[in-house]
Each structure stands twice: as structure tokens, then as C-alpha cells.
Amino acid sequence: MDEFLLAAIEEARTGAREGGIPIGSVLVHRGRIIGRGHNRRIQNGSAILHGEMDALEHAGRLPASVYRECTLYTSLSPCAMCSGAVLLYGIPRVVIGEHATFMGEEDLLRSRGVEVTVLDDPACKELMAAFIKAHPEEWNEDIGELPEAGNSGNSR
């Protein structure tokens, strides 16, 4: 397994242990993790602390030239907000653990020149399935609807 996806999964597991939604992310620059995070919506009562946003926050303030050399790894397909951050900072590559549970703004990212890779990782799927089964209200609160076969919702 890719070491950086594994780091994103570990962040997702940390979020789950904290009682949150198990979505993790890492920002990688020149083969080194410079920011890591996980969804903290529940833990912090936050509307915006998705895994990707948390990883960017933990990377700190960086010059644009650094973002343009980064890859963002995330355990679940990024929502419109997180995809907007990718575009805003000019991050050229996003690697996604899975998008069966939720299909984010991958087409938008691709249309703006971002290289998007979906790994279809079983561990990422299992984390989300277990969370949704145990906490459908929290998932529904963020996603806006419960997922059904073939329906990934509108937002994350």
C-alpha cells in the first residue's frame, strides 16, 4: 500500500477513535508529509474541519510555490469546499482512497488540470461503512442524505 495513503488512513482512524467521522488526509511535498489531518467536525463542533482542510491547516502558511509541488492524499473523495482549497492553492495532484461512499468534485478538479487518482482502497471503504452503520445521523448531518446504492450524496 502507498505509504502516504496509509498515513491518511491512520489519520482517519485517529478521527474515529476521537468519536469523529473517519476521513483523513495528508499533504505531501517532495516525498515528505508536511501536513496531516482528519475530519474534526464532531470533535470541534466545526462546519469546515474536513480532513483535507485540517491537513492544510496543519501544514501552516506556505508559499504558493510549495503548494504547486504538493500531492494531497485523502481517504475519501473531496467535497466542493476541499476541492476549492485544492484549486485555490494550486495543488496539482490529488490521490483518493475511495469514492464509492461519496463522490466529490473529481470532475471539477480534472477540468481544472488537477491529476486525480482513485485507488478504490478496501480499508477506506470499510472505515466509512462502519461509521455510517454506527452513526447514520452524523453522516446524514454532513452529507445531507443517507447513501443508497448508486447514490453518493451532494456534499460531505
Side-chain angles (χ1 to χ4, degrees):
M1 175 181 290
D2 182 291
E3 69 178 294
F4 300 122
L5 179 62
L6 185 57
I9 292 169
E10 285 306 314
E11 283 293 324
R13 289 181 176 140
T14 297
R17 283 191 300 273
E18 293 173 354
I21 301 170
I23 302 168
S25 186
V26 295
L27 185 64
V28 177
H29 180 254
R30 296 183 180 178
R32 185 174 66 86
I33 295 173
I34 61 171
R36 56 177 66 233
H38 52 274
N39 188 301
R40 296 176 193 260
R41 281 185 54 261
I42 294 170
Q43 302 92 307
N44 290 18
S46 173
I48 61 170
L49 275 181
H50 289 188
E52 301 89 341
M53 301 300 278
D54 196 39
L56 287 166
E57 179 69 16
H58 283 110
R61 185 175 169 195
L62 301 168
S65 60
V66 173
Y67 292 114
R68 287 192 295 262
E69 295 178 341
C70 285
T71 299
L72 182 71
Y73 286 76
T74 182
S75 61
L76 186 65
S77 187
C79 71
M81 176 180 65
C82 297
S83 294
V86 167
L87 296 174
L88 176 68
Y89 292 107
I91 298 169
R93 185 168 184 247
V94 176
V95 177
I96 298 165
E98 69 106 340
H99 65 186
T101 302
F102 172 81
M103 172 65 79
E105 298 297 327
E106 297 170 28
D107 289 340
L108 171 64
L109 292 171
R110 286 185 184 104
S111 77
R112 298 283 296 273
V114 176
E115 178 187 338
V116 176
T117 303
V118 180
L119 300 178
D120 198 31
D121 183 78
C124 293
K125 289 179 183 178
E126 290 169 19
L127 278 168
M128 291 310 303
F131 177 81
I132 293 168
K133 182 176 180 181
H135 306 285
E137 302 82 19
E138 285 86 358
W139 177 252
N140 190 40
E141 175 187 304
D142 197 21
I143 199 74
E145 61 187 78
L146 290 171
E148 300 169 12
N151 180 14
S152 298
N154 298 319
S155 65
R156 185 181 73 155

